[in-house]
Amino acid sequence: LLYEQVAGEIESQIQNQTLSPGDRLPSVRQMSRAQKVSISTVVQAYIHLEQKGLVEARPQSGFYVKPQGFQLPEPDTKKPHFKSTSVSIGDVISSIFGAAREKDIIHLGAACLSPELYPSKKLNRLTSQVLKETPLHSAQYDMPPGYLPFRKQLAKRMLHSGAKVRAEDIVTTAGAMEAITLALKVCTRPGDTVMIESPIYYGTLQVLQSLGLKAFEVPCHPRTGVDPDEVRALLKKEKVKAGLFIPNFNNPVGSLMPDENKKSLVQIFSEKEIPLIEDDIYGDLTFSSQRPSTLKRYDNDDWVITCSSFSKTLAPGYRVGWVISKRFQEQLEREKFISTVATASLPQYILNQYLADGGYDRHIRHLKDVFSQQIHRVSDTICQNFPKETKFTRPLGGFVLWVELPKHIDSVKFHDQALQKGVSVTPGVVFSARGSYKNFIRLNCGNLWSPEIERALKKLAQMAHGME
Ligand SMILES: Cc1ncc(COP(=O)(O)O)c(C=O)c1O
């Protein structure tokens, strides 16, 4: 394809160092004239390079070559197990997070942002406005499916991911966690098996455990997520009642499934008439100029259930999320009522105003600039200080890094020692139903870079060397 040729030429210029990190690529217009190709071909080529992690778009400025100086490799993808397993990770998770909460520490464990990165000032202003306009907001329940104007805003935002959904098919929830729980409740019974990717967010595993569900783990490639061919093959091994994946920037590995793979995954589940739950909580936080597609985009037969929230972008404390499905809408609404009766009204009113005001896209652009820089800083510090056997991921969105320490390091012990030194990390074992990833840790890069964070990372590096 023509755009691949254009991209290939730029890639070889980056490799032979004609173009260096920080260099600006020619403008799209200049490049189109120079190469005698259309503007859209150049745009496609630049986006392709961006998705490969070679260049980055800076708003109102252009495309720049990214630093390429990583000397440490990426972690490998695990081999699949061919059967499901029960999940019993809950106690380990509770004890780990209980310990981290008690101390005044540098938080490189939990996936959260520095508070100043959330638009709290604006949200507080909108709160005053909402209180004035609807003084009786708290005097009634906002019954499921939730506040309609807000659901209309959510439906509009789904267009950015290529999906056309109706406000009527959205149920608002208490965060993404409740959305996922409701989605699993409507398509499974205790004892059923759910196909998930591995590693996966530990909260998902806790939900599986509390609903008495078994996990059938599919290995997740650090760049491209699950392989649809592998999913197809594994689905032949065991009866699966639902799939649950994080196609955009999986937590913890940061993988982004290519569109072709997303399409295939939806097709596989649709053919078998198995509900496919997607957790899209990080989808808006891409470093690329193009918002990645949701699985919902390819959901012609209505088997995809999309779950998300604003916890990673606007306000985790509001506890507002949503779940989208036409097929299961009524059941989701019923389960929501049983679960918590209704979603709190005030946060929905405020978020509705925020989305209507139009500041969301600007805010997201700011966040992703901050995150991509912080990921680079943490990556550079790892390369310069950690043992040479260390491997880590190259996420193209989100704000966490998945780090493979030398084989002999037990990450739970590493976590305990780190806490004693005033730093939290999340040990790898909590990201799998089988307690795999014993020598992995997840590092949060959502905190604004500071000398304290650099010192904390160097402490971790020292510990890793000391455990050699
Ligand atoms: C992948 C993923 N899903 C869901 C959640 C939970 O989101 P919420 O706080 O909206 O319930 C998190 C939070 O860390 C997450 O990383």
Side-chain angles (χ1 to χ4, degrees):
L1 293 172
L2 199 50
Y3 82 87
E4 286 175 327
Q5 270 175 32
V6 176
E9 279 163 33
I10 299 170
E11 187 169 348
S12 48
Q13 285 185 322
I14 294 173
Q15 264 146 18
N16 66 26
Q17 292 172 354
T18 311
L19 284 167
S20 310
D23 282 354
R24 187 169 178 272
L25 298 190
S27 75
V28 171
R29 232 168 256 289
Q30 283 168 340
M31 194 67 175
S32 139
R33 253 183 265 129
Q35 297 281 325
K36 298 194 173 37
V37 294
S38 72
I39 296 233
S40 68
T41 302
V42 179
V43 170
Q44 242 182 325
Y46 283 11
I47 287 175
H48 181 69
L49 289 167
E50 200 184 18
Q51 285 170 344
K52 286 183 86 172
L54 293 169
V55 305
E56 65 188 351
R58 296 190 193 155
Q60 270 108 48
S61 178
F63 286 83
Y64 290 79
V65 179
K66 278 174 54 168
Q68 308 296 321
F70 296 121
Q71 308 98 333
L72 298 174
E74 291 174 85
D76 304 318
T77 314
K78 292 262 183 256
K79 300 262 177 302
H81 291 276
F82 292 96
K83 60 181 187 359
S84 63
T85 174
S86 59
V87 189
S88 56
I89 197 78
D91 292 347
V92 184
I93 294 173
S94 303
S95 76
I96 285 169
F97 292 104
R101 258 197 301 273
E102 279 165 24
K103 304 200 175 178
D104 183 18
I105 47 172
I106 303 283
H107 285 281
L108 302 182
C112 48
L113 319 186
S114 290
E116 53 271 51
L117 285 172
Y118 292 109
S120 306
K121 247 195 212 155
K122 180 152 188 193
L123 291 171
N124 291 346
R125 238 186 356 253
L126 292 173
T127 308
S128 312
Q129 188 185 323
V130 168
L131 291 177
K132 242 182 255 152
E133 286 167 8
T134 45
L136 297 180
H137 70 88
S138 59
Q140 55 199 357
Y141 292 108
D142 208 323
M143 284 299 178
Y147 185 45
L148 181 61
F150 176 52
R151 289 184 290 118
K152 284 187 177 164
Q153 292 289 350
L154 294 175
K156 217 154 83 181
R157 281 227 69 85
M158 279 299 283
L159 291 171
H160 292 255
S161 78
K164 293 195 190 86
V165 303
R166 308 178 313 161
E168 298 94 280
D169 303 331
I170 303 177
V171 178
T172 64
T173 59
M177 210 60 220
E178 191 188 35
I180 293 165
T181 307
L182 300 181
L184 284 167
K185 276 188 173 169
V186 301
C187 44
T188 62
R189 295 280 164 273
D192 285 347
T193 296
V194 179
M195 180 174 273
I196 57 171
E197 64 206 298
S198 170
I200 196 166
Y201 169 53
Y202 51 82
T204 308
L205 295 169
Q206 282 178 299
V207 179
L208 293 186
Q209 182 173 351
S210 88
L211 296 179
L213 298 167
K214 285 191 282 187
F216 193 1
E217 298 181 314
V218 184
C220 175
H221 183 279
R223 285 214 181 198
T224 52
V226 293
D227 172 356
D229 290 337
E230 192 156 63
V231 167
R232 194 188 289 279
L234 290 175
L235 280 173
K236 292 194 180 122
K237 304 273 173 204
E238 206 169 308
K239 190 168 176 57
V240 162
K241 283 296 178 63
L244 200 173
F245 301 91
I246 312 174
N248 296 326
F249 317 118
N250 156 300
N251 173 7
V253 301
S255 54
L256 170 63
M257 281 184 80
D259 275 357
E260 278 311 304
N261 292 7
K262 285 177 180 160
K263 221 190 269 181
S264 306
L265 191 71
V266 174
Q267 214 170 0
I268 292 166
F269 277 79
S270 300
E271 274 165 17
K272 294 188 173 296
E273 305 193 340
I274 303 174
L276 175 56
I277 303 165
E278 68 173 329
D279 178 352
D280 189 44
I281 195 165
Y282 294 101
D284 282 344
L285 294 176
T286 167
F287 305 152
S288 146
S289 48
Q290 207 174 4
R291 207 277 187 203
S293 311
T294 41
L295 295 182
K296 198 77 191 158
R297 174 182 188 161
Y298 304 109
D299 186 26
N300 300 329
D301 299 319
D302 197 18
W303 285 101
V304 174
I305 307 178
T306 303
C307 301
S308 193
S309 80
F310 286 124
S311 299
K312 306 296 169 185
T313 49
L314 295 180
Y318 281 6
R319 304 308 303 132
V320 171
W322 56 92
V323 53
I324 312 175
S325 164
K326 187 172 172 193
R327 181 185 298 274
F328 295 103
Q329 200 281 343
E330 259 175 52
Q331 286 133 286
L332 287 166
E333 208 176 302
R334 193 174 339 125
E335 288 295 342
K336 167 64 197 176
F337 180 78
I338 296 167
S339 170
T340 49
V341 181
T343 303
S345 4
L346 185 59
Q348 294 186 77
Y349 291 13
I350 299 165
L351 289 171
N352 174 52
Q353 282 298 334
Y354 188 91
L355 295 176
D357 265 21
Y360 185 68
D361 290 311
R362 205 173 334 115
H363 168 66
I364 292 297
R365 276 202 298 276
H366 171 63
L367 278 189
K368 58 197 201 184
D369 278 356
V370 172
F371 294 154
S372 70
Q373 281 174 25
Q374 286 179 181
I375 294 253
H376 274 122
R377 284 188 149 142
V378 175
S379 304
D380 280 349
T381 313
I382 293 175
C383 284
Q384 284 160 26
N385 296 281
F386 275 60
K388 62 181 188 322
E389 303 86 352
T390 306
K391 300 176 182 181
F392 68 94
T393 47
R394 317 283 194 262
L396 300 176
F399 50 87
V400 295
L401 278 181
W402 181 236
V403 183
E404 181 173 356
L405 297 169
K407 288 263 176 307
H408 62 276
I409 295 184
D410 174 336
S411 66
V412 174
K413 283 194 193 133
F414 189 83
H415 158 270
D416 295 345
Q417 273 195 24
L419 266 190
Q420 281 165 16
K421 291 183 188 296
V423 187
S424 72
V425 301
T426 309
V429 285
V430 303
F431 295 94
S432 109
R434 294 172 184 274
S436 314
Y437 310 109
K438 286 195 169 37
N439 59 319
F440 285 71
I441 53 170
R442 187 194 67 184
L443 291 179
N444 173 34
C445 306
N447 288 311
L448 283 173
W449 184 256
S450 66
E452 287 77 34
I453 291 183
E454 189 169 0
R455 269 199 297 277
L457 286 166
K458 287 183 176 166
K459 274 187 202 168
L460 298 181
Q462 247 174 13
M463 278 173 40
H465 282 292
M467 287 174 151
E468 273 174 337

